[in-house]
Structures are given as structure tokens and as C-alpha cells.
């Protein structure tokens, strides 16, 4: 969801860095062949992820929710020369699609795909991370956060996507809307947890930037 008008959204996009050609191809093929293409980070948010990664210059990146790999490649743009990305997804049918684009990029051998339940995979990674991007099942955001915080290097950044949830976070919550209730709790947690400092950016569907203290 975009909270700006279409005209302002267009202006913001065209006055940001151009989308790299490989990502434009990935974007196009995702919309042609893959279900729920709106899950793709897209041009503007992708450039935000790229720039943040370049500022951080991470040696270790963890992504929870790969989808077709667009955000993965955006964060790879700022990766340390010898850095690594671990990216986790539960959808087996997307693995080959992701790998095709990873291998077309300059970072293919630095990106490791993990297939399965992130809650089971994360504790076995045995790494400390500089940058983490959470963009998977919202119902487990709180669980992911508590798993990840002890694995962050001091000053490491946790990015959380979709935290505005199409504006539902400021609407009356329906009794059966579990996802919005969890996101409200998650946003409150990020604000109050003494282990991080947080700012919520109204980018696309909401992107929270949390820094490990």
C-alpha cells in the first residue's frame, strides 16, 4: 500500500536512484509469473534498502522472507567485499527463481538460501548479524525479534516491513484480525524494548528501522 498520492509517489520514485536493470527484469518476471507480486519490495523501497545497506556496509545479513529475492539483491549492493547473506523462505517453488537471479548478480556465491521454518533455522545459524530484514509471516514477528536481538552485533540494524499493514494499525481492530493485533503489539515492543532504538518510516506499507544498543 502507498500512503502518498499516486502523483507524489511517482515524483518520489523518479527523484530517487534508478532501478538497476537486473532488478527491473526480476520485477517484471515476478509480476508475470509469481502469485502475489505486490509482496515485492519494488523500486523505491528497494533503493531505500540498498542505501541503508551501503551506509551499514554489513559483513553479515539475515533476511527472513526471501520471496523472489528482490530485497536480497538490494541489500547485497552494500555488502562487505567478503560479506554473506542468509535468506530464509518456506516456499520451495521459489527457490530456483531466486537462485537464477542471485547467480546473475555479482553476489551469487555470497548468498545462502535456507528453505523451511525460520523459527527452526535461525537458532542454528550460529552467526552475529549486522543487518536483518524481517518480511515474512506477520504472526511471528515478535518471535523473530526475540530470536534475532541476541544475535545482533552492537549497532546492528533490524528492518521490519509492513508495520503499518495497509493503515489497519490506526483503525478499529476486528475481533478476528489476529495479524493486526500482533503488529500493534510488535510496534509497541520495538518502541519500548530497551535493547534497541527505533524509528518507524512511512515508506510503502511501513518500514521500521531498529538499532541494537
Amino acid at each position: 500500500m502507498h500512503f502518498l498520492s499516486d502523483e507524489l509517489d511517482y515524483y518520489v520514485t523518479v527523484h530517487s536512484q534508478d532501478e538497476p536493470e537486473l532488478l527491473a527484469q526480476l520485477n517484471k518476471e515476478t509480476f508475470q509469473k509469481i502469485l502475489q507480486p505486490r509482496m515485492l519490495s519494488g523500486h523505491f523501497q528497494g533503493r531505500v534498502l540498498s542505501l541503508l545497506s551501503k551506509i551499514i556496509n554489513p559483513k553479515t545479513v539475515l533476511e527472513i522472507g526471501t520471496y523472489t529475492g528482490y530485497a536480497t539483491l538490494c541489500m547485497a549492493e552494500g555488502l562487505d567485499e567478503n560479506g554473506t547473506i542468509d535468506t530464509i523462505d518456506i516456499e520451495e517453488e521459489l527457490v530456483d527463481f531466486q537462485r537464477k537471479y542471485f547467480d546473475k548478480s555479482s553476489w551469487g556465491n555470497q548468498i545462502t538460501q535456507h528453505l523451511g521454518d525460520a523459527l527452526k533455522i535461525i537458532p542454528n545459524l550460529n552467526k552475529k548479524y549486522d543487518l536483518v530484514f524481517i518480511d515474512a509471516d506477520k504472526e511471528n514477528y515478535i518471535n523473530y525479534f526475540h530470536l534475532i536481538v541476541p544475535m545482533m552485533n552492537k549497532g546492528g540494524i533490524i528492518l521490519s516491513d509492513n508495520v503499518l499493514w495497509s493503515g489497519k494499525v490506526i483503525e478499529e481492530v476486528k475481533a478476528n484480525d489476529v495479524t493486526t493485533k500482533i503488529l500493534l503489539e510488535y510496534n509497541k515492543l520495538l518502541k519500548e524494548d530497551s535493547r534497541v532504538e527505533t524509528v518507524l518510516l512511512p515508506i510503502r506499507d511501513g518500514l521500521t528501522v531498529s538499532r541494537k544498543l
Side-chain angles (χ1 to χ4, degrees):
M1 177 177 177
H2 297 278
F3 293 95
L4 298 176
S5 67
D6 290 343
E7 292 81 6
L8 271 177
D9 187 73
Y10 176 77
Y11 184 88
V12 167
T13 300
V14 299
H15 287 84
S16 299
Q17 190 73 22
D18 291 341
E19 183 180 42
E21 178 57 32
L22 179 63
L23 290 179
Q25 293 173 15
L26 194 165
N27 194 333
K28 182 177 180 180
E29 189 171 356
T30 298
F31 273 83
Q32 288 173 337
K33 299 180 179 179
I34 308 298
L35 293 175
Q36 297 180 298
R38 69 185 297 272
M39 290 172 59
L40 193 87
S41 288
H43 178 180
F44 175 61
Q45 182 169 310
R47 292 305 86 203
V48 172
L49 295 175
S50 170
L51 191 58
L52 288 173
S53 183
K54 288 170 183 173
I55 292 168
I56 298 162
N57 190 217
K59 293 182 179 178
T60 48
V61 176
L62 172 62
E63 179 182 39
I64 307 172
T66 316
Y67 190 49
T68 56
Y70 190 100
T72 323
L73 291 175
C74 291
M75 292 185 290
E77 293 176 27
L79 198 60
D80 180 84
E81 183 179 356
N82 298 310
T84 60
I85 297 179
D86 292 293
T87 185
I88 306 171
D89 205 280
I90 203 166
E91 301 294 343
E92 185 174 1
E93 65 271 18
L94 293 177
V95 170
D96 291 342
F97 186 101
Q98 298 159 5
R99 179 48 59 185
K100 177 176 73 171
Y101 280 95
F102 293 162
D103 288 344
K104 285 184 177 182
S105 78
S106 303
W107 308 281
N109 62 355
Q110 295 170 269
I111 301 172
T112 300
Q113 295 161 282
H114 301 270
L115 178 64
D117 183 346
L119 293 175
K120 296 178 180 178
I121 292 171
I122 292 169
N124 296 311
L125 292 175
N126 297 316
K127 285 186 183 179
K128 299 285 277 186
Y129 287 97
D130 299 314
L131 175 61
V132 175
F133 183 41
I134 306 175
D135 188 17
D137 52 318
K138 314 310 168 194
E139 291 79 6
N140 275 312
Y141 267 32
I142 293 171
N143 296 326
Y144 294 143
F145 178 78
H146 286 306
L147 273 179
I148 288 165
V149 170
M151 299 171 67
M152 299 297 298
N153 286 316
K154 185 177 181 180
I157 299 295
I158 301 171
L159 304 173
S160 307
D161 201 15
N162 303 117
V163 291
L164 293 180
W165 205 230
S166 298
K168 291 181 182 178
V169 291
I170 58 169
E171 298 173 356
E172 183 177 351
V173 182
K174 297 178 181 178
N176 62 347
D177 188 353
V178 175
T179 303
T180 301
K181 291 177 182 178
I182 290 175
L183 283 173
L184 285 167
E185 186 178 348
Y186 181 68
N187 291 340
K188 185 172 184 288
L189 170 66
L190 294 186
K191 165 71 175 178
E192 297 178 353
D193 195 299
S194 61
R195 296 172 294 178
V196 297
E197 57 181 348
T198 292
V199 61
L200 197 165
L201 305 176
I203 293 171
R204 198 162 174 258
D205 194 24
L207 180 71
T208 301
V209 181
S210 303
R211 177 178 175 269
K212 173 72 180 293
L213 298 175

